[in-house]
Amino acid sequence: MGPSRALEGEDLATKRWEDARHWISIYADLLEFKRGILARVHRDVANLQPPAQKAAATDLRIIETQMQGYQERLDLWYRRIWELQGLWVDPVGRVVRHQGKEASLTKREFQLLQFLLDHPHRFFTTQQILGQAWADPALFPEEVRNYVRRLRQILVDLTIPADLVNKPGRGYSLLFRAS
Amino acid sequence: MKKVQAQRARPDIDAAVRGGDWTQPMDGEGAPGVSTLKHALYWREIYTDILAMEEKVLARIRQLMDTQSEEGRREVELTNVPVVVAQAERFRQRLGYWDARVAQLNGKSSHKP
């Protein structure tokens, strides 16, 4: 599947919040489906002889490309749902507005929020956040905990319907609250 | 919900299905018509294994499809299923060539695919 190809019936310009949720659910399910197939193929390919492994690699490449496309669509829908929710993010002034409320963020707060908004519902370890959100792996891990605490407070202050959760072994993720 | 007709052409899938061309051998396979029995037995085993794998994957896809939404099922029908079916058909055909070669060299058919 080519990246970001829309499915039949999919309209990213929709004004309806429930449409966005519907497509988020479809892409999340498709990704889960592909993960299941990919795991199965990986397991089975390992038992084949080398020439067959090479031939079967076609299946793996196709599935991985499709997953990349679905992930891109999922991210687009997450961005769309934030727009429909009334979340407005200004990277120049590092300002976040949500339904009439506004907060000015520090550089690191903003970078972390932007990173998590761009990759919602995915988990990132402390090291990944240091390297990818702030591009500074030399920072202390305690900094992540500190800024996560600050961001949680900002989410509460702006009544943004999302939770910044931490799961042992997986890391941090910004989870959209369905209701 | 507003329905929008998505672009139907899927060049990636078309290419993948074309990859199921059963005239395509694997690397190092060679032509069955000039192979030794040992070589034919080896490639028959290779194709038996990979065909079994593809069939298991297809069964798993169909099983997992039951849990998908209508849109999700349609997408899987359009993407995964034809690719795996084409690949499986390619391997089945190639297995047929090698099976026939083994039978020819043995003077009888010894494999039921």
Side-chain angles (χ1 to χ4, degrees):
Chain A
M1 172 176 182
S4 297
R5 183 187 292 275
L7 299 185
E8 192 174 329
E10 186 181 348
D11 178 14
L12 200 58
T14 183
K15 305 279 187 215
R16 291 159 52 95
W17 163 267
E18 54 269 43
D19 283 357
R21 284 176 57 180
H22 174 70
W23 287 106
I24 282 173
S25 155
I26 285 173
Y27 279 111
D29 284 351
L30 276 169
L31 275 167
E32 191 59 33
F33 171 85
K34 297 282 179 179
R35 275 188 211 105
I37 298 297
L38 195 63
R40 174 82 208 214
V41 175
H42 267 300
R43 204 168 50 238
D44 290 348
V45 162
N47 297 323
L48 297 175
Q49 299 196 55
Q53 284 188 6
K54 198 170 172 188
T58 306
D59 292 356
L60 296 173
R61 277 197 303 275
I62 289 169
I63 295 169
E64 282 162 357
T65 306
Q66 287 171 340
M67 287 179 72
Q68 188 185 345
Y70 295 151
Q71 188 64 61
E72 287 175 16
R73 295 303 299 180
L74 183 61
D75 289 348
L76 283 173
W77 276 111
Y78 273 122
R79 281 200 280 280
R80 182 69 185 133
I81 210 166
W82 288 125
E83 288 169 11
L84 292 169
Q85 175 66 27
L87 183 73
W88 187 81
V89 177
D90 171 19
V92 178
R94 297 201 299 266
V95 172
V96 180
R97 294 195 188 100
H98 180 246
Q99 296 187 341
K101 295 176 182 174
E102 180 178 302
S104 292
L105 276 59
T106 67
K107 184 180 171 187
R108 287 207 195 284
E109 286 171 347
F110 190 87
Q111 285 173 328
L112 181 55
L113 179 64
Q114 184 79 74
F115 177 73
L116 293 170
L117 283 172
D118 286 345
H119 307 90
H121 288 242
R122 267 180 275 172
F123 284 84
F124 296 94
T125 63
T126 299
Q127 280 307 317
Q128 286 171 324
I129 288 174
L130 291 173
Q132 296 176 39
W134 293 335
D136 193 350
L139 283 171
F140 290 110
E142 289 73 24
E143 290 293 302
V144 173
R145 284 196 287 277
N146 179 24
Y147 280 93
V148 162
R149 196 166 51 243
R150 292 194 205 183
L151 273 195
R152 282 176 176 152
Q153 189 57 51
I154 290 165
L155 294 175
V156 169
D157 292 346
L158 298 184
T159 61
I160 295 173
D163 297 306
L164 210 175
V165 301
N166 179 20
K167 281 195 179 178
R170 296 188 69 192
Y172 295 95
S173 178
L174 189 65
L175 298 183
F176 167 71
R177 217 178 293 142
S179 56
Chain B
M1 185 186 305
K2 187 182 171 190
K3 292 281 180 189
V4 173
Q5 188 68 32
Q7 193 179 345
R8 297 299 296 226
R10 303 296 293 255
D12 52 327
I13 299 304
D14 292 345
V17 170
R18 275 199 305 276
D21 176 5
W22 56 67
T23 62
Q24 295 264 329
M26 289 188 198
D27 285 352
E29 185 176 341
V34 294
S35 67
T36 62
L37 178 61
K38 185 181 173 190
H39 189 80
L41 286 168
Y42 173 74
W43 283 100
R44 190 178 74 174
E45 184 188 346
I46 295 266
Y47 279 108
T48 300
D49 290 349
I50 198 166
L51 177 60
M53 189 203 84
E54 292 287 352
E55 285 173 342
K56 275 192 279 185
V57 168
L58 191 60
R60 183 69 178 146
I61 287 173
R62 294 204 187 280
Q63 184 188 7
L64 288 176
M65 275 172 70
D66 290 343
T67 64
Q68 292 289 305
S69 61
E70 185 192 337
E71 292 91 337
R73 270 199 303 276
R74 205 159 45 232
E75 170 66 4
V76 173
E77 280 285 7
L78 190 65
T79 57
N80 282 103
V81 173
V83 172
V84 178
V85 166
Q87 286 280 75
E89 192 51 34
R90 172 191 167 198
F91 299 143
R92 191 174 291 111
Q93 289 287 337
R94 300 297 306 173
L95 173 60
Y97 295 152
W98 287 110
D99 203 29
R101 180 60 177 164
V102 169
Q104 184 187 29
L105 293 170
N106 273 340
K108 62 181 176 69
S109 177
S110 58
H111 177 75
K112 303 287 182 200

